[in-house]
Amino acid sequence: LGKKVLIVYAHQEPKSFNGTLKNVAVEELSKQGCTVTVSDLYAMDFEPRATRKDISGALSNPRLFNYGMEACEAYKKRSLASDITEEQKKVQEADLVIFQFPLYWFSVPAVLKGWMDRVLCQGFAFDIPGFYDSGFLKGKLALLSLTTGGTAEMYSKTGVSGDFRYFLWPLQHGTLHFCGFEVLAAQISFAPEIASEEERKGMVAAWAQRLKNIWKEEPISCTPPWYFGQ
């Protein structure tokens, strides 16, 4: 196959359930002959804040700092901070990007949010115009693999937390699809902390099994009705 996969991984503990899911993905995809790269954000001490330190050259407008505009200019001039350009290179080379994380407040942990804020800059991931179906990362696949504190029942339409698709909207649609990614269905491991050892093994096995045929999967339909109904 020779496909390239980037796993952007956000968990503090290697022995965690998230750590296990990440390891299983590395193992399974490597076995298929894929080249797998892992960005272990906590271990890298990845900087989540978008600041003027991200621009190594002179600012276009030092009097009034506009991060988005400056990052875009710096991308074109190749004067972005090296930790950003290293991640952009990994994304550029990847056929599939997997995000592995525990759900924090219906979203990603801060370190992963910061990765999105800093790495997916204008000029690299999108432009105006040049987003959604014409985003610059088109032709690439993205997949969210996440764990929740709440049960599957809580994340149903009638559940107390609402349908899980609601929290996927800003991440899958507003971030990934906006940048042109084709999005594969999220892998949600519900409430591993309260699951039995048996159930946890089942979740890990399901993920490994899914990865065996991941390259044959069809992306989800990236439209508001997929998330919210008609």
Side-chain angles (χ1 to χ4, degrees), residues 137-150:
L137 302 180
K138 61 175 177 284
K140 298 181 184 300
L141 297 168
L143 191 169
L144 302 177
S145 171
L146 62 118
T147 60
T148 65

Side-chain angles (χ1 to χ4, degrees), residues 5-58:
V5 182
L6 170 62
I7 302 177
V8 185
Y9 164 68
H11 199 286
Q12 309 86 336
E13 173 53 67
K15 295 191 287 286
S16 64
F17 190 73
N18 272 272
T20 301
L21 292 175
K22 180 259 296 169
N23 292 341
V24 162
V26 171
E27 216 170 291
E28 180 50 48
L29 292 163
S30 302
K31 221 185 288 176
Q32 295 176 17
C34 301
T35 307
V36 186
T37 305
V38 177
S39 285
D40 181 340
L41 301 182
Y42 285 104
M44 292 155 69
D45 207 9
F46 189 80
E47 169 62 74
R49 295 169 301 176
T51 68
R52 57 176 72 207
K53 291 188 191 135
D54 291 352
I55 291 96
S56 61

Side-chain angles (χ1 to χ4, degrees), residues 142-158:
L143 191 169
L144 302 177
S145 171
L146 62 118
T147 60
T148 65
T151 60
E153 192 175 63
M154 289 165 80
Y155 285 109
S156 62
K157 267 213 169 35
T158 53

Side-chain angles (χ1 to χ4, degrees), residues 203-223:
M203 292 183 219
V204 174
W207 177 225
Q209 192 50 48
R210 180 181 174 191
L211 288 166
K212 287 191 193 330
N213 300 303
I214 200 76
W215 303 106
K216 297 193 183 83
E217 281 189 25
E218 283 298 310
I220 64 163
S221 140
C222 271
T223 59

